Amino acid sequence: MCEASAYIITEHEPRLIMDCVDKVVPEGSGIRLVNIFGDQKIIRGRIHSLSLVDHKIFIEETRET
Amino acid sequence: MCEASAYIITEHEPRLIMDCVDKVVPEGSGIRLVNIFGDQKIIRGRIHSLSLVDHKIFIEETRET
């Protein structure tokens, strides 16, 4: 299976927010993540990078100003 | 291997722009794609969605106004 793990980049180190991610959909000021079980999370932030061979998705936090 | 194929969404149907994509990095007004062979392409546009289990990356064209 080719799902990935999603991490949020905080001020410290990347923090795992979801495993087994299938779909990644930018929506407004956030990113919708859907895993292979159909669970969803919407994360405020933007895509920083993806490394598919490493199965990693990095999301960068965005802050309200 | 868990690389994906990148498609650009045009007015008509999605058009394949790169196979075997490993890294996807939003940069300014574009997306940098790097395949498993180290070849790079920078595409003007933004990430529309990713479907990792289907190995597909969809990029939406953005136009200069």
Side-chain angles (χ1 to χ4, degrees):
Chain A
M1 292 295 283
C2 286
E3 67 276 6
S5 295
Y7 296 84
I8 192 147
I9 299 174
T10 64
E11 286 167 16
H12 307 287
E13 54 192 19
R15 183 165 52 85
L16 180 66
I17 45 175
M18 194 180 226
D19 267 328
C20 302
V21 175
D22 173 17
K23 297 196 192 305
V24 180
V25 185
E27 285 184 354
S29 61
I31 310 289
R32 184 158 59 93
L33 302 173
V34 185
N35 70 13
I36 57 171
F37 311 108
D39 298 328
Q40 289 196 38
K41 280 188 186 175
I42 294 178
I43 307 298
R44 179 179 301 278
R46 56 173 171 251
I47 293 172
H48 171 274
S49 59
L50 294 103
S51 179
L52 300 177
V53 171
D54 290 343
H55 301 225
K56 288 184 179 172
I57 299 163
F58 293 103
I59 294 171
E60 196 168 27
E61 269 185 327
T62 51
R63 290 169 187 274
E64 292 291 312
T65 51
Chain B
M1 294 295 282
C2 286
E3 67 276 5
S5 296
Y7 297 84
I8 192 147
I9 298 175
T10 64
E11 286 169 16
H12 307 288
E13 54 192 20
R15 182 164 52 84
L16 180 66
I17 45 175
M18 195 180 225
D19 267 329
C20 301
V21 175
D22 173 17
K23 296 194 192 307
V24 180
V25 185
E27 285 183 354
S29 60
I31 310 290
R32 184 158 58 94
L33 301 173
V34 185
N35 70 12
I36 58 170
F37 311 108
D39 297 328
Q40 289 196 38
K41 279 187 185 175
I42 294 179
I43 308 298
R44 180 180 301 279
R46 58 174 170 251
I47 293 172
H48 171 274
S49 59
L50 293 104
S51 179
L52 300 177
V53 171
D54 290 342
H55 300 226
K56 287 184 178 172
I57 299 163
F58 293 104
I59 295 172
E60 197 167 27
E61 270 185 326
T62 52
R63 289 168 187 275
E64 293 291 313
T65 51

